[in-house]
Structures are given as structure tokens and as C-alpha cells.
Amino acid sequence: MYKMISPSAPPPKRKQIRLPEILAAIGLILAFGFAVFNILANLEAAGATPGFGFLFQEAGFDISESLIPYSSSDTYLQVIFAGVLNTILLAVVCIFCSTLIGIGFGLLSVGPSPVGRGLALAYVDVFRNLPKLLILLVLYAVAVNGLPHVREAYTIGHFHLSNRAVNFPTLVWTPGLWVLLASTAAGVGGALYLRQKASRLPTRYRRAVPFGFWAIALLFPLLCLAVFDIRPALSFPEMKGFDFQGGGRVSLQFVIVAATLSIYHGAQIAEVVRGGLQAVPSGQGEAAKALGLNRWLTVRLVILPQVFRIVIPPMNNQYVNLIKNTSIAIAVGYSDLMSVSGTIINQSFKPLEMMLITMAIYLVICLSVTSSLNQWHQHLTSRESR
């Protein structure tokens, strides 16, 4: 018998760059070069020397809050870093809260309750069609005028709410807390390993895995605290002078900006989630019901995993828009990256350099988020196609 020879693959197509494309690229390069030359010439005519040496000069101004130690005698570079951390913290809190709000109202909008559907529809229609800056200013005016002064703050236990900040107890950092962090990481790691290996266990042992997962994650750190006799200490806020001292503090500006962006983008994420839910065939839910799953298990195990794969691309856009929209915090005096950049421009007269730095930082943050979500979406898609 003659062995059949499989057909060879077609030769790869040669990439040809056409003349109009080359001319367009040259035109863009020339236009960019002319713009840069014109800007440098105008700066030289105005007596300004472009450069980034000013970053190591003394800043000379304070900021409302910072996650790192900072004073007015520090450099511009340090205050930019403090502003970047404030922006990242604000973006993380807003992404978390808006996602929870969006998923909740998205589920409500397709639920069986007509009251719930009406409530979700009203929420989306109201906040999706209002400018976010207007929502921010209204909430800030209501909070400043409606909340009491710091001396008459609302108090629940050791939590205090006033028109200045939210004060709460915090852990006092001691060397023993490193043991707590390490034991917590080890407990969570062991629990994840157990969960990964659970699929190879017999069915009668597999039922105990969820209990074992939480038991390892929670009890191992507590066991380490008891063995090493570590007693975490708390710092409580106390009224001294004109403000609370000790404990943790979150400014009213941060709370209002976080609430505004969470509500505003929560309405848009709710619509994305609703679209994802309606894209899942109704037969999936009926099949899960036929297998004996209740509504909660059907949503958690059958519906939401498919919805996540569908909604990740539009959610990517929402998260990027949310990160860029944190710049509205400058309207209420929160010291984010835009606020710090504006102050530096006014003091150093380096608008071009600071704009380039600010654009580069926002670009890096947004590209990091989009790349991570795209990789996660690719992972989910490839796992489903197996």
C-alpha cells in the first residue's frame, strides 16, 4: 500500500508595506517632530528651560492626607509618589464597591420581583444620566452641612463620624504582627492547596473540603498567636484638643469621592451585568434546577461563571474610566495625583513636564489593569474551550 502524503501548508504570505502607508508614517513623524520643536522654541523664547531636575527640589506645601510619611520639606518626587498612592487607594476602593453595587443591582434587574426590577431600573436611570461631578458636589455639600462638628461627632463604640473625617480603631504595629501575617499567608496557601487537590479525593471526603478550607485559613493564624503568645494591641481614637488623636482616620473628602464614583459606576456596571445575565441561555438555569440546585447555587455555580466571561471586556472599559475619573477628587480637595500635579505646576512653572509625568502615570496604571483583565479573560476562555 502507498502511504498518503499529507498536503503541505501554504507558504506564508509576505508582508508588503504599501507606499501610502509609508508616506502616512513619515507624515506623522514629521508632524510630531514639528510640534516638539515648536514647543521647545516657545519655551526657550519665554526663558523656560525644559527638564526634570525640579523633581528633587523642596516641595514646600502640605497635602491633606498621605499613606507615607510626608512633610512640606520633602521633594516634589516624594509628593508625587504620595499622590499616586492616594489615587491607587481611591481607585481600588471604588472598583471594589462599584462592582458589588453593580452585581447586586444587575441581579435585581433580572430577578422575579417586580419591585426589585423597578428599583434597579430607577437607580440605573437616575445615576447613569447625571454628571458625576454634580453628584460629587451634592454629596459633599450634604455631608459637610448635615454631619456634626468634630466635637459633636456621631459615635458608635470607638467609631466616630463628623464633617471632618471617620475615625476608627487600628492595630498597633509590633514585630509580633509579622508572625500573624506569615501565619495568615501560610493558612490561606494551605487552604488553596487543599482546595486544588480536592478533586482527586473520593466523594465522601470531598464533602468535608469546604469546612477544612475555612478551618485551615482561620484557625492556623489563631494557633500561631497562642503558641507564640502574641497579643495584638489596638489604638483607639480619643478627643484631644481640636481633633481625635490615635486610631485610624479617613477624611470626609475620600469618603465622598469614593461614594460618588461607586454609585455612578455601579449604575453602569449594573447594566453590563444585566446584559451578561440575559446573554446566558435560559436553559442553563432550567437544567440546574432539574439537577436539584436551589436558586443561590444556580446563580453561584452555573450563571455567574458564564457571566464573568461575557462581561470582562466591557468591565475593563468601566474600570479604566473609573480610574481616570478619580481626577474629579480635586474638586473637593482630596490630594490625589491631579491635585498634587496642579499645585506643582503653579509653584514650579513646569506645566509640560508635569503633564507628561501625570499622563505617563495614568497610562501605566490603566494599562496594568487592562492587561491583567485581558489575561484573566483569555484564561477563562481557553479553559472553557477545552
PDB file of all heavy atoms in Angstrom, residues 153-167:
ATOM      1  N   ALA A 153     -19.330  64.664  67.200  1.00  0.00           N
ATOM      2  CA  ALA A 153     -19.372  63.601  66.196  1.00  0.00           C
ATOM      3  C   ALA A 153     -20.309  62.471  66.618  1.00  0.00           C
ATOM      4  O   ALA A 153     -20.484  62.192  67.813  1.00  0.00           O
ATOM      5  CB  ALA A 153     -17.962  63.056  65.976  1.00  0.00           C
ATOM      6  N   TYR A 154     -20.926  61.840  65.625  1.00  0.00           N
ATOM      7  CA  TYR A 154     -21.713  60.636  65.881  1.00  0.00           C
ATOM      8  C   TYR A 154     -20.757  59.537  66.335  1.00  0.00           C
ATOM      9  O   TYR A 154     -19.735  59.288  65.676  1.00  0.00           O
ATOM     10  CB  TYR A 154     -22.455  60.185  64.623  1.00  0.00           C
ATOM     11  CG  TYR A 154     -23.506  61.161  64.142  1.00  0.00           C
ATOM     12  CD1 TYR A 154     -23.644  61.448  62.781  1.00  0.00           C
ATOM     13  CD2 TYR A 154     -24.367  61.780  65.035  1.00  0.00           C
ATOM     14  CE1 TYR A 154     -24.606  62.337  62.329  1.00  0.00           C
ATOM     15  CE2 TYR A 154     -25.335  62.668  64.587  1.00  0.00           C
ATOM     16  CZ  TYR A 154     -25.442  62.947  63.237  1.00  0.00           C
ATOM     17  OH  TYR A 154     -26.395  63.822  62.809  1.00  0.00           O
ATOM     18  N   THR A 155     -21.097  58.863  67.429  1.00  0.00           N
ATOM     19  CA  THR A 155     -20.199  57.857  67.987  1.00  0.00           C
ATOM     20  C   THR A 155     -20.931  56.536  68.158  1.00  0.00           C
ATOM     21  O   THR A 155     -22.022  56.498  68.754  1.00  0.00           O
ATOM     22  CB  THR A 155     -19.656  58.315  69.350  1.00  0.00           C
ATOM     23  OG1 THR A 155     -18.949  59.546  69.169  1.00  0.00           O
ATOM     24  CG2 THR A 155     -18.718  57.273  69.931  1.00  0.00           C
ATOM     25  N   ILE A 156     -20.351  55.493  67.599  1.00  0.00           N
ATOM     26  CA  ILE A 156     -20.831  54.114  67.807  1.00  0.00           C
ATOM     27  C   ILE A 156     -19.636  53.303  68.276  1.00  0.00           C
ATOM     28  O   ILE A 156     -18.741  52.981  67.476  1.00  0.00           O
ATOM     29  CB  ILE A 156     -21.419  53.523  66.515  1.00  0.00           C
ATOM     30  CG1 ILE A 156     -22.577  54.382  66.004  1.00  0.00           C
ATOM     31  CG2 ILE A 156     -21.882  52.087  66.751  1.00  0.00           C
ATOM     32  CD1 ILE A 156     -23.145  53.907  64.679  1.00  0.00           C
ATOM     33  N   GLY A 157     -19.589  53.015  69.583  1.00  0.00           N
ATOM     34  CA  GLY A 157     -18.427  52.329  70.140  1.00  0.00           C
ATOM     35  C   GLY A 157     -17.204  53.222  70.038  1.00  0.00           C
ATOM     36  O   GLY A 157     -17.190  54.345  70.566  1.00  0.00           O
ATOM     37  N   HIS A 158     -16.187  52.744  69.340  1.00  0.00           N
ATOM     38  CA  HIS A 158     -14.980  53.546  69.123  1.00  0.00           C
ATOM     39  C   HIS A 158     -14.922  54.115  67.712  1.00  0.00           C
ATOM     40  O   HIS A 158     -13.859  54.538  67.256  1.00  0.00           O
ATOM     41  CB  HIS A 158     -13.738  52.687  69.388  1.00  0.00           C
ATOM     42  CG  HIS A 158     -13.589  52.272  70.823  1.00  0.00           C
ATOM     43  ND1 HIS A 158     -13.165  53.125  71.813  1.00  0.00           N
ATOM     44  CD2 HIS A 158     -13.857  51.093  71.438  1.00  0.00           C
ATOM     45  CE1 HIS A 158     -13.135  52.495  72.973  1.00  0.00           C
ATOM     46  NE2 HIS A 158     -13.561  51.257  72.779  1.00  0.00           N
ATOM     47  N   PHE A 159     -16.060  54.123  67.010  1.00  0.00           N
ATOM     48  CA  PHE A 159     -16.132  54.698  65.671  1.00  0.00           C
ATOM     49  C   PHE A 159     -16.777  56.085  65.774  1.00  0.00           C
ATOM     50  O   PHE A 159     -17.816  56.238  66.442  1.00  0.00           O
ATOM     51  CB  PHE A 159     -16.945  53.802  64.735  1.00  0.00           C
ATOM     52  CG  PHE A 159     -16.249  52.501  64.402  1.00  0.00           C
ATOM     53  CD1 PHE A 159     -16.312  51.423  65.272  1.00  0.00           C
ATOM     54  CD2 PHE A 159     -15.522  52.362  63.226  1.00  0.00           C
ATOM     55  CE1 PHE A 159     -15.677  50.228  64.988  1.00  0.00           C
ATOM     56  CE2 PHE A 159     -14.888  51.172  62.922  1.00  0.00           C
ATOM     57  CZ  PHE A 159     -14.957  50.105  63.803  1.00  0.00           C
ATOM     58  N   HIS A 160     -16.190  57.074  65.110  1.00  0.00           N
ATOM     59  CA  HIS A 160     -16.668  58.452  65.183  1.00  0.00           C
ATOM     60  C   HIS A 160     -16.822  59.009  63.771  1.00  0.00           C
ATOM     61  O   HIS A 160     -15.909  58.865  62.941  1.00  0.00           O
ATOM     62  CB  HIS A 160     -15.697  59.313  65.982  1.00  0.00           C
ATOM     63  CG  HIS A 160     -15.308  58.722  67.307  1.00  0.00           C
ATOM     64  ND1 HIS A 160     -16.097  58.823  68.435  1.00  0.00           N
ATOM     65  CD2 HIS A 160     -14.226  57.982  67.669  1.00  0.00           C
ATOM     66  CE1 HIS A 160     -15.508  58.191  69.451  1.00  0.00           C
ATOM     67  NE2 HIS A 160     -14.379  57.671  69.009  1.00  0.00           N
ATOM     68  N   LEU A 161     -17.969  59.646  63.521  1.00  0.00           N
ATOM     69  CA  LEU A 161     -18.254  60.233  62.215  1.00  0.00           C
ATOM     70  C   LEU A 161     -18.589  61.706  62.399  1.00  0.00           C
ATOM     71  O   LEU A 161     -19.503  62.064  63.153  1.00  0.00           O
ATOM     72  CB  LEU A 161     -19.442  59.507  61.557  1.00  0.00           C
ATOM     73  CG  LEU A 161     -19.972  60.118  60.252  1.00  0.00           C
ATOM     74  CD1 LEU A 161     -18.908  60.085  59.160  1.00  0.00           C
ATOM     75  CD2 LEU A 161     -21.233  59.391  59.794  1.00  0.00           C
ATOM     76  N   SER A 162     -17.847  62.567  61.727  1.00  0.00           N
ATOM     77  CA  SER A 162     -18.092  64.013  61.780  1.00  0.00           C
ATOM     78  C   SER A 162     -17.948  64.581  60.378  1.00  0.00           C
ATOM     79  O   SER A 162     -17.685  63.846  59.415  1.00  0.00           O
ATOM     80  CB  SER A 162     -17.095  64.689  62.727  1.00  0.00           C
ATOM     81  OG  SER A 162     -15.785  64.604  62.194  1.00  0.00           O
ATOM     82  N   ASN A 163     -18.134  65.904  60.264  1.00  0.00           N
ATOM     83  CA  ASN A 163     -17.976  66.538  58.944  1.00  0.00           C
ATOM     84  C   ASN A 163     -16.514  66.767  58.583  1.00  0.00           C
ATOM     85  O   ASN A 163     -16.212  67.490  57.640  1.00  0.00           O
ATOM     86  CB  ASN A 163     -18.748  67.849  58.887  1.00  0.00           C
ATOM     87  CG  ASN A 163     -18.223  68.859  59.904  1.00  0.00           C
ATOM     88  OD1 ASN A 163     -17.269  68.591  60.640  1.00  0.00           O
ATOM     89  ND2 ASN A 163     -18.859  70.008  59.961  1.00  0.00           N
ATOM     90  N   ARG A 164     -15.622  66.150  59.350  1.00  0.00           N
ATOM     91  CA  ARG A 164     -14.192  66.253  59.050  1.00  0.00           C
ATOM     92  C   ARG A 164     -13.607  64.915  58.606  1.00  0.00           C
ATOM     93  O   ARG A 164     -12.812  64.878  57.666  1.00  0.00           O
ATOM     94  CB  ARG A 164     -13.441  66.762  60.279  1.00  0.00           C
ATOM     95  CG  ARG A 164     -11.966  66.998  60.047  1.00  0.00           C
ATOM     96  CD  ARG A 164     -11.279  67.523  61.285  1.00  0.00           C
ATOM     97  NE  ARG A 164     -11.761  68.849  61.658  1.00  0.00           N
ATOM     98  CZ  ARG A 164     -11.350  69.511  62.725  1.00  0.00           C
ATOM     99  NH1 ARG A 164     -10.440  68.970  63.525  1.00  0.00           N
ATOM    100  NH2 ARG A 164     -11.838  70.712  63.005  1.00  0.00           N
ATOM    101  N   ALA A 165     -14.008  63.819  59.296  1.00  0.00           N
ATOM    102  CA  ALA A 165     -13.399  62.519  58.972  1.00  0.00           C
ATOM    103  C   ALA A 165     -14.184  61.400  59.640  1.00  0.00           C
ATOM    104  O   ALA A 165     -15.115  61.629  60.430  1.00  0.00           O
ATOM    105  CB  ALA A 165     -11.941  62.488  59.435  1.00  0.00           C
ATOM    106  N   VAL A 166     -13.781  60.188  59.313  1.00  0.00           N
ATOM    107  CA  VAL A 166     -14.251  58.980  60.004  1.00  0.00           C
ATOM    108  C   VAL A 166     -13.063  58.428  60.774  1.00  0.00           C
ATOM    109  O   VAL A 166     -12.022  58.128  60.179  1.00  0.00           O
ATOM    110  CB  VAL A 166     -14.780  57.931  59.004  1.00  0.00           C
ATOM    111  CG1 VAL A 166     -15.237  56.677  59.746  1.00  0.00           C
ATOM    112  CG2 VAL A 166     -15.902  58.495  58.162  1.00  0.00           C
ATOM    113  N   ASN A 167     -13.208  58.325  62.111  1.00  0.00           N
ATOM    114  CA  ASN A 167     -12.130  57.808  62.964  1.00  0.00           C
ATOM    115  C   ASN A 167     -12.510  56.439  63.484  1.00  0.00           C
ATOM    116  O   ASN A 167     -13.667  56.200  63.871  1.00  0.00           O
ATOM    117  CB  ASN A 167     -11.880  58.760  64.128  1.00  0.00           C
ATOM    118  CG  ASN A 167     -11.443  60.138  63.669  1.00  0.00           C
ATOM    119  OD1 ASN A 167     -12.272  60.986  63.347  1.00  0.00           O
ATOM    120  ND2 ASN A 167     -10.158  60.361  63.595  1.00  0.00           N
TER     121      ASN A 167
END
